[in-house]
Amino acid sequence: MPGIGLASLLISGDVAVQHVLGPTLEKLAINVEVCDDVDPGKNILRNEKFDAVIVDCDDLQGGTALLQGLRQTASNKNSVAFAIVNGRTTTQQAFEMGANFVLQKPITQLNASRCFNAALGFMERERRRYFRHPVEIAVKILFGEARELKAKSSNISEGGMAIRVVGPFPKEPIAKIQFELPEKKLAIECRAEMAWADGMGCAGLRFLDLAPSYKHQLETWLGDLMEKALTAKADKLAKSR
């Protein structure tokens, strides 16, 4: 089902907006969390990840500032952003503040449905981008002068992987990494760089120059796993109701 497992945050105290968007998002199988004030909204955005963030810019004090600051948040800087405007903020201004889509009050179910249907592909692409699959696979990290380090992954995404190593991680640049996708028996080799390290044997690697064929295989593999995980989550939620 399109939209399955997608999550959105609506920050608006306008009851009419809530009554229109709630059913609209529900029909698209997009879960919606509602927050009616800016400060609680900021706290939620700091602690949770959403595929879409919907901000009432003109009728919520601090709404425009919240939208502008969304791209500086760690978890939601790439979320699809919707601005709700009501005469004070223009569509162009909303786009300049970081909105991807703009809804004009009064919002009708027809307009809302068209807007979110148009945005659905962007939301699903963002979900795939940050989806991380927990998996332990052997990783060979190659450095200059034929040095190599053996590691184990703890999770993998379209853009990189988290790994564990025994002992300190070398400070020299990584030449390339090699690993094999489970089930597919596909050996992948690409350049990588260190994204982060905790000094205790755990680190994050960012893929560089991933060949198109490898990229496609990785995205397909992760996409299948994500669909299975989201379907299982939806089934579990449905049984609990």
Side-chain angles (χ1 to χ4, degrees), residues 38-238:
V38 165
D39 288 337
K42 289 179 180 178
N43 290 331
I44 294 170
L45 289 171
R46 278 195 290 266
N47 295 296
E48 298 180 44
K49 167 66 182 172
F50 295 92
D51 303 291
V53 179
I54 310 154
V55 182
D56 194 333
C57 290
D58 288 348
D59 296 325
L60 186 69
Q61 187 173 356
T64 54
L66 177 62
L67 178 64
Q68 288 175 304
L70 183 65
R71 300 309 178 197
Q72 277 69 57
T73 61
S75 298
N76 294 283
K77 62 182 178 181
N78 294 311
S79 300
V80 181
F82 297 79
I84 299 173
V85 299
N86 193 25
R88 290 205 304 271
T89 302
T90 66
T91 298
Q92 183 60 38
Q93 288 171 333
F95 286 139
E96 290 170 356
M97 292 176 191
N100 303 105
F101 295 88
V102 179
L103 286 161
Q104 175 73 52
K105 289 184 180 182
I107 302 173
T108 66
Q109 285 199 344
L110 178 61
N111 289 338
S113 184
R114 286 174 175 171
C115 181
F116 284 99
N117 268 301
L120 199 56
F122 295 94
M123 294 169 65
E124 290 174 338
R125 186 167 62 202
E126 170 62 7
R127 168 59 65 95
R128 289 195 299 271
R129 187 193 67 78
Y130 74 78
F131 173 72
R132 292 185 175 275
H133 175 58
V135 63
E136 186 173 287
I137 54 178
V139 182
K140 185 185 292 185
I141 306 171
L142 305 175
F143 300 89
E145 300 179 358
R147 288 188 61 197
E148 72 174 55
L149 179 68
K150 291 183 179 180
K152 288 282 188 181
S153 71
S154 55
N155 65 58
I156 184 169
S157 70
E158 289 185 1
M161 62 168 56
I163 59 166
R164 297 188 303 272
V165 299
V166 177
F169 200 93
K171 294 183 179 180
E172 59 191 288
I174 299 170
K176 59 185 175 182
I177 61 172
Q178 299 171 340
F179 60 95
E180 185 176 280
L181 290 183
E183 296 104 33
K184 283 186 172 291
K185 301 300 180 184
L186 174 70
I188 291 181
E189 179 177 292
C190 68
R191 291 198 309 116
E193 65 179 2
M194 176 86 74
W196 58 268
D198 65 1
M200 296 181 288
C202 295
L205 302 181
R206 184 180 295 114
F207 300 146
L208 302 174
D209 301 331
L210 195 60
S213 59
Y214 290 157
K215 182 178 176 65
H216 174 72
Q217 292 274 12
L218 178 60
E219 289 177 353
T220 300
W221 179 69
L222 285 169
D224 290 343
L225 289 168
M226 185 183 73
E227 287 301 316
K228 290 178 182 177
L230 293 178
T231 299
K233 182 178 179 181
D235 290 342
K236 184 177 180 180
L237 182 62

Side-chain angles (χ1 to χ4, degrees), residues 10-19 36 56 59-60 86 105:
L10 169 60
I11 306 175
S12 173
D14 190 326
V15 175
V17 168
Q18 296 173 7
H19 285 172
D36 60 9
D56 194 333
D59 296 325
L60 186 69
N86 193 25
K105 289 184 180 182

Side-chain angles (χ1 to χ4, degrees), residues 20-38:
V20 171
L21 294 189
T24 300
L25 294 168
E26 185 177 346
K27 287 180 181 178
L28 293 171
I30 301 172
N31 299 317
V32 59
E33 182 174 343
V34 178
C35 179
D36 60 9
D37 207 352
V38 165

